[in-house]
Amino acid sequence: ARPGAAAARRGRRLAADPAAHLRVRFGPAVGPPPVSVTDTEVVTRAPWGAEGSAAVQVALNGQQYGPSAATFTFLGLHRPELLAARFDPSATTVELVLDGQATNRAGMAGVEPCSRVLDEATVALLRGSGADEPECYWADDARLVARLGAATDAAPGSRLALRDDALWPIAYNGSCPGALCANGSAVIDPDAPCGSVPCATPTVTLVGPDRVSACPAEDLVAEAVGSGGGARPLSYEWRADPARSDLYVDVNARLDAAGALARLDMAGISRLVLLVRATNFLGVRSPVAELEVRRTGEASPSLVFDAPGQLVVRPGLETGLQAELNIADCWQRALDVRVDFSWTLARAWRTATGAELAAGELPDLQAVAETRRGNMLIPPFTLTEGITYAVTLDAFMVADPAARAQATAELVVEQQPLFLALAGGGRVVGAAEAVTLDASASYDPNVPGALGVGGAAVDVAWSLVDLRGGGEAPAAFPEGTQVDGAVVTVPAGGLAPGLWRFDAAATSPASGLAAAASTAVEVAAEVRVPQLSLRGLDRAKYNPRWELPRDGVSVRAALDGESLNRGGVSWTYAWRAFTIVGGVRSPAGLDLNDAARVTTTGAGQANLAFRSGVLTAGATYALELTATAAVSPALAAMGVVAGPPARAEVTVMINRPPFGGTAEVNPAAGGVALETRFALLAPGWSDDAEDLPLRYRWELADATGGARRPLTDLRRTPGLLATLPAGNWSAVARVSDAYGAEARGAAPVHVLPAPVLDCAALSTLLDEASADASTGAVTEAKQKLGALADILAAGGAATATGGGPAGGDGACAA
């Protein structure tokens, strides 16, 4: 039998429908669940095994029968074969496809440098002109994924190759290079770069106001927000629709230099229809997006959300909307500059069919959402998966309600995985003790529901697997086992000593989603074993870096009261960390005792807390705690023994942060503080689909890399116009996914000092900052005031009474 191929085993009648509880053993290797079972034949996939013949045994309900007279001959271990290389459909990663034989995965756990497994030429190709080492991770034994950066040289027709000394079958005990060491290469097909599926078509939306004021000198800022660009930033082609636009020839001439941001002087234009199309580095072009802009008859403000017109959100996560409002240039600032805002849930419909929801089916956003002027914060579990909500914001000048603006955002609520939690983690129990597994904290985040944390309850089905002897055999629960919803309790003495696995399969009646999780329980020979419970890991996955301790990876342990209060007995604790790769546990190589660099607790306390940046992105860890008892000398002299140790473990998955993008500033040099509006762009960032959408935050770092100055709060769009202070800076884009995992890009910018400000200019600037703050544009106000503070500190503003820049010790007139 070739490993992975189907093998048929015929015999006498088998029990009816035994597939769920039947396994076939080939020598020491146990096969996966059978492909099919009849009363005379079992078809199963042969597992990987050593070269040579292997006797066959069948296990049913945990009962293993004697070996058959028939034997199978394994073709055995072989050199891992690289079958293909291809872009994923989004073209943000390259997948190297192997034959699926279980390998050592080059010793990788999570996201690690590609040089661990790929040769130097391939690493250089993936890096391109960038400075950072390309990163790779294993999706499974058959797929190695390389994350691409914006500077990559990977392209259709590129050849990618494995190192000859890094990858081998997991059961191989030899050395490399050698006969069983992988060393192949594969070419990305120029005609089918994404393999058997077509590469994704880019999409682009235009973010900008659909109304501008009647002011003659009004400016329009529109941003092209694209996705599906692949590894490199999208290129954009802008045009004004000649049939529906004023002065379209002049506008098109100005649009030729536009990138992701277009800035236009609207003088002489009453109507403008902007068209934009995006092209990715594979040459695939997006459909055309358009934005129609009209003049109002008033000095109306402009209003736009910092998000595409359609925003993908997740039901179990907090959703934020932020609007950007600008007062019209010709608004008389001597009048009241206050603006009133009004939020409305205009309508909602089923995304798949377009069927409208009745008014009674809509959530009461006014009751549950937090609104502060142009910002709305919708709490988790308010919105329902599969529904699109149209949220409208109206803004109008208090002094003249006819000067008003409106913006609408569509929130497309997409599916989130079920959250399946098994309380307590793996553990060791005594032979005469009951075993309870509890998955009642699990929930479906896609449906607003009854649980205290939100989400709808799920159904949980339990199964038992016998791991004694190194194999895996389905087993029936012992007589007397109680299943109460998501909680299963095996009675005392029900399980023989050895290792057992409890499998939980959760399904959601509301959404039909499913999830699975497992935990191992070791039954000791001793009658009673102290019990440890582990708590604190309440998220589906954690981020590799964090700023607040509450967001970090920490586990709290509790010993059962009887053991903890046992007189004359003291307890010592010891933590160990393992990585889990392909179901195989290996020491994680972390010195948990290092409380200065690895943990904050050390490895000898009941609780364990990691430091930020220690755990590897994309890795899965098993954290194991052993509690050992020691009796006092007096009790020991009386013959009292300490008893067996307690042991428990919990697994934690580490999130992969966004990747692949860059940061850009335009102009990078020559701009002037307080005068130039700098375009800050963060193109090309991507992440796993389940971790979207991305959000962006900008800050300035000084030339030494030390002091940082925040520029914005979290935003939905990757670009903005900003006022910067004078100096040599690094503009840093902090890009985070829906779970908060963060990556950074930076671009240098040199800002020239502003001319000396006279009293009139100073007064105007302060009025503008005040108006920004009053309309909710706090970020813009902070930018202007920060730049002004630098000028004042450097003595670059007038201090004389009157309008001129005269010196002296006077002050500008009040």
Side-chain angles (χ1 to χ4, degrees), residues 229-300:
R232 303 175 198 162
L234 289 163
S235 60
Y236 297 100
E237 178 186 1
W238 295 78
R239 284 292 179 268
D241 187 332
R244 297 181 288 168
S245 301
D246 299 330
L247 305 180
Y248 68 88
V249 174
D250 178 58
V251 170
N252 283 337
R254 286 180 277 164
L255 286 174
D256 285 340
L261 275 175
R263 289 181 282 186
L264 294 171
D265 180 354
M266 293 289 287
I269 299 175
S270 296
R271 185 190 186 196
L272 175 65
V273 177
L274 288 175
L275 307 176
V276 69
R277 180 163 51 194
T279 304
N280 69 14
F281 78 106
L282 298 176
V284 183
R285 306 172 81 183
S286 75
V288 174
E290 73 172 50
L291 173 67
E292 182 173 359
V293 185
R294 290 179 179 269
R295 289 276 191 176
T296 68
E298 308 289 339
S300 302

Side-chain angles (χ1 to χ4, degrees), residues 177-197:
L180 293 184
C181 303
N183 63 357
S185 66
V187 174
I188 301 174
D189 189 339
D191 298 320
C194 297
S196 59
V197 299

